[in-house]
Amino acid sequence: MLEKLTLRDFRCFDSVQVDVHPETTVFTGKNGQGKTSLIEAACVLLRLQSPRTSSRDEWVRFGAQAAVVEGKWNGSVLRCAQSAKARRLAVDGGVCTRSADYLSASGVVVWMDHADMNMLRAGAEHRRRYLDFTGSQLYPGYLTALRAYERALRGRNYALKKDAVIAWRQADAFARVMSEHARVLREHRAALIDLLRPFVTEHHAALSGVGESASVSYACGQSGDDLFEELISRRGDEERTRSTACGVHRDDILLTLNERDAGSFASEGQQRTLALAMKLAQAKVLHQVRGQAPLLLVDDVFGELDRHRRRALMAGMPQGTQKMITTTHLDWLEEGSLSGQVYEVDAGKVRGGA
Amino acid sequence: MPALDYPPPIQRLIAQLRSLPGLGPRSAERLALWLMQVGPLRVDPLARSLGLLHDTVRACDECGFFIEKDADCLLCTNERRNARLICVVEQAADVLRLERSGAFQGMYHVLGGKLSPLDNVTPEDLRIDSLMQRVQSLQAEEVILAVGSDVEGEATASYIADGLSGLGVSVTRLAQGMPAGGALDHVDELTLFQALHGRRKIG
């Protein structure tokens, strides 16, 4: 459980401390006041990554040297400081040189925002991001394999493009490295989707209430376990396109509703329900494997869900899930289903009000 | 009026220093000012050493480690070293590291870097061709690839192993896993995973 959250020079915040409520903490205020940055800071604190950006130096407030996020998680004080170049991590005052040590003391996170609908409407990269965000919280080697795979892929694609005559031996050297990491990623992703499937089906059925059957399955970007062999057989294609023809960077999740592709056939409402079911499934899997309830961070979408979905979201989260929610309006609060603390965020200042 | 700055010679020295690896603008400035203050007694030996560097030292044509000009390579000409065993490393500094471990008595081969298309390092920039020739001329039995285990290191190892595959020489890679004398609680999961995979039988 997150108890205290302190930000210094993080995004628009000069210095701010928030007492996080054990159940629900709501941040309200107009647009552009820093609500999202507050829950982003919580995500950074626990996962050292942000769903909003991949360049960490964006966290540092304009004109400041380093951004610091500190918080008390399950009794230990976590501290993450990020400057333009370096990152410093500490648990209970002890410096952690490896992020793995730090992460083993922190918790798991589920993040919800408007972009969730992209899982249904937009390209496969959004579904891979969902897998990667979950996978990196579950499997210790996942992120390392992913980074190494991506790096080898970039190197290989560059080697394929660079010369008029392709340096195949060089490309092959990188293909072998990719193949090794692809095996790890493929195995983890397949296992992860198997874990997710029953929860997605269950939550979607409960949410829709009309006997629809949703399912997820893994569409791997390579046909077998041996990426290297497969790439050898795709020489012709690669000669034409000058880029790597197959591999786990082309992975996708197939989302179906009554056995039809949900992206093209489901209605707006059905898609919303399925996106929500996937986030609930994510929380359930994290809870099941890691044995602790996740911290749920909801950016802006909560107030836009209808009452039915809002209830289902609250009821569907694992027992003891702590929630941090940003919203522009509080109309939905009057339903009285929440116990928690409301803060008002205004121009980089946080006031405990309402 | 232009903004005040150091006289041009100092500016040039700072520009030279900051182009060195590991030095930023501030460190370069600090070093330049220090050199300015300590006077010629301290600076001249430094300037001499720098000037003599390329006149007196070169890389051995065989192994790629540094030797004094007109001298024989202590590694390549040593009769007591096993010429059938070649250890491939990225940098000359790695030779010293392995040598200090005392565990290796064969020949070295310095590549001078690792394969990295993104940084424009191709096989032609590395001493890979000369390795192939050496393996044949020395009739090596084993080539140990002691390059790093990052993506570029692995790709380099894979590239070399591929090139050596027709030559009837056994190619090995350094083991990865538990640090010597360490307990389990100090090892991260990934290292532990690799240590488990590379476990060996003791009885």
Side-chain angles (χ1 to χ4, degrees):
Chain A
M1 194 179 72
L2 188 62
E3 283 171 55
K4 262 194 173 59
L5 184 65
T6 311
L7 282 64
R8 213 169 56 234
D9 292 330
F10 187 92
R11 295 232 186 230
C12 63
F13 291 98
D14 184 8
S15 169
V16 66
Q17 186 172 54
V18 181
D19 285 312
V20 186
H21 191 272
E23 282 177 42
T24 310
T25 312
V26 178
F27 298 105
T28 179
K30 291 197 230 22
N31 289 320
Q33 304 302 309
K35 301 187 296 293
T36 305
S37 300
L38 279 168
I39 62 170
E40 181 192 20
C43 186
V44 167
L45 182 71
L46 293 190
R47 301 311 314 165
L48 303 177
Q49 55 168 328
S50 155
R52 283 171 92 188
T53 176
S54 53
S55 55
R56 291 165 173 160
D57 49 359
E58 278 180 30
W59 298 340
V60 184
R61 188 174 63 94
F62 192 75
Q65 288 287 326
V68 181
V69 189
E70 196 176 284
K72 202 168 185 187
W73 174 259
N74 287 344
S76 17
V77 178
L78 303 176
R79 188 169 193 274
C80 168
Q82 176 79 46
S83 71
K85 284 178 196 148
R87 183 176 68 182
R88 241 162 231 253
L89 307 173
V91 178
D92 284 328
V95 175
C96 289
T97 45
R98 278 193 308 245
S99 58
D101 294 340
Y102 178 92
L103 288 174
S104 69
S106 87
V108 288
V109 170
V110 173
W111 177 279
M112 292 178 68
D113 63 14
H114 286 292
D116 291 349
M117 281 298 276
N118 288 338
M119 286 195 295
L120 285 121
R121 289 186 185 152
E125 72 268 21
H126 296 278
R127 291 179 286 277
R128 282 196 296 274
R129 198 174 299 152
Y130 167 82
L131 279 183
D132 294 340
F133 194 77
T134 326
S136 57
Q137 300 192 62
L138 288 183
Y139 309 109
Y142 190 97
L143 210 55
T144 325
L146 182 66
R147 297 273 176 272
Y149 179 87
E150 283 171 345
R151 194 166 167 81
L153 174 67
R154 272 203 307 280
R156 185 169 193 271
N157 280 341
Y158 193 77
L160 288 177
K161 282 188 183 70
K162 204 174 63 159
D163 301 317
V165 179
I166 297 178
W168 283 114
R169 281 192 54 212
Q170 233 184 109
D172 288 348
F174 280 89
R176 270 185 226 103
V177 178
M178 283 168 63
S179 190
E180 220 169 282
H181 297 295
R183 194 168 291 137
V184 176
L185 288 170
R186 190 175 134 96
E187 194 180 302
H188 284 331
R189 284 175 176 176
L192 176 58
I193 290 175
D194 284 340
L195 285 172
L196 287 165
R197 188 177 304 112
F199 289 121
V200 172
T201 309
E202 178 197 323
H203 283 296
H204 184 86
L207 278 161
S208 66
V210 289
E212 285 171 350
S213 154
S215 186
V216 291
S217 54
Y218 183 34
C220 189
Q222 61 192 68
S223 54
D225 207 27
D226 195 336
L227 176 59
F228 179 69
E229 285 300 321
E230 198 170 333
L231 283 172
I232 297 269
S233 71
R234 299 287 293 270
R235 283 265 204 273
D237 294 336
E238 295 196 330
E239 199 124 27
R240 251 184 304 111
T241 60
R242 297 263 171 168
S243 71
T244 302
C246 52
V248 292
H249 60 290
R250 300 202 171 191
D251 277 4
D252 199 354
I253 315 177
L254 296 180
L255 300 165
T256 57
L257 205 54
N258 293 334
E259 272 141 50
R260 301 176 85 184
D261 175 33
S264 14
F265 293 105
S267 74
E268 165 95 18
Q270 285 171 322
Q271 290 184 345
R272 271 189 199 288
T273 306
L274 189 50
L276 189 55
M278 285 179 71
K279 285 295 158 112
L280 284 167
Q282 185 179 35
K284 284 284 171 67
V285 168
L286 289 172
H287 182 234
Q288 186 184 42
V289 179
R290 294 282 304 259
Q292 51 172 301
L295 174 66
L296 175 67
L297 302 172
V298 187
D299 186 24
D300 232 19
V301 287
F302 203 72
E304 286 169 29
L305 295 173
D306 56 50
R307 179 189 279 235
H308 171 61
R309 289 203 181 92
R310 204 147 51 219
R311 282 233 180 94
L313 173 60
M314 286 299 137
M317 289 311 276
Q319 197 80 42
T321 300
Q322 197 180 8
K323 305 156 199 91
M324 291 172 85
I325 296 167
T326 71
T327 182
T328 45
H329 61 95
L330 290 167
D331 311 344
W332 51 273
L333 254 188
E334 286 151 27
E335 290 163 19
S337 57
L338 288 178
S339 79
Q341 173 74 45
V342 177
Y343 289 102
E344 198 161 322
V345 185
D346 187 19
K349 295 268 177 290
V350 179
R351 279 193 305 271
Chain B
M1 196 178 82
L4 187 65
D5 204 339
Y6 296 114
I10 297 189
Q11 282 185 38
R12 278 198 295 274
L13 177 61
I14 292 179
Q16 281 295 324
L17 287 170
R18 64 179 286 189
S19 70
L20 300 176
L23 285 182
R26 278 168 207 269
S27 316
E29 187 182 0
R30 200 156 45 87
L31 273 178
L33 294 186
W34 181 82
L35 289 168
M36 197 53 226
Q37 278 162 6
V38 291
L41 269 181
R42 187 73 181 75
V43 175
D44 289 347
L46 176 66
R48 242 189 333 271
S49 316
L50 286 174
L52 283 175
L53 201 57
H54 278 275
D55 293 336
T56 52
V57 181
R58 65 183 179 91
C60 168
D61 296 328
E62 289 290 308
C63 66
F65 191 68
F66 301 123
I67 48 173
E68 274 193 74
K69 278 198 179 148
D70 337 309
D72 287 331
C73 177
L74 289 174
L75 290 165
C76 298
T77 54
N78 189 337
E79 294 287 319
R80 285 160 63 192
R81 298 191 81 95
N82 182 355
R84 296 286 177 89
L85 207 56
I86 302 179
C87 180
V88 180
V89 295
E90 284 173 23
Q91 300 296 347
D94 300 331
V95 171
L96 288 184
R97 247 167 242 139
L98 281 162
E99 199 53 14
R100 282 179 193 139
S101 79
F104 184 67
Q105 287 296 324
M107 297 300 193
Y108 289 99
H109 192 89
V110 181
L111 289 175
K114 53 193 174 184
L115 215 52
S116 174
L118 295 172
D119 302 313
N120 231 342
V121 181
T122 61
E124 290 76 45
D125 301 315
L126 305 174
R127 302 180 64 246
I128 291 181
D129 285 340
S130 75
L131 172 67
M132 301 298 157
Q133 286 158 18
R134 253 183 115 201
V135 167
Q136 281 163 309
S137 65
L138 292 174
Q139 294 178 313
E141 282 160 359
E142 183 178 350
V143 174
I144 303 167
L145 299 173
V147 290
S149 67
D150 54 344
V151 167
E152 284 78 14
E154 292 290 354
T156 312
S158 152
Y159 184 88
I160 295 174
D162 184 43
L164 290 171
S165 61
L167 300 179
V169 55
S170 93
V171 182
T172 55
R173 193 92 173 80
L174 289 189
Q176 290 181 30
M178 299 283 297
L184 278 188
D185 54 347
H186 291 296
V187 184
D188 66 280
E189 286 97 341
L190 195 65
T191 311
L192 212 48
F193 181 84
Q194 265 160 350
L196 261 175
H197 273 252
R199 68 184 182 275
R200 58 168 188 207
K201 219 172 161 148
I202 58 165

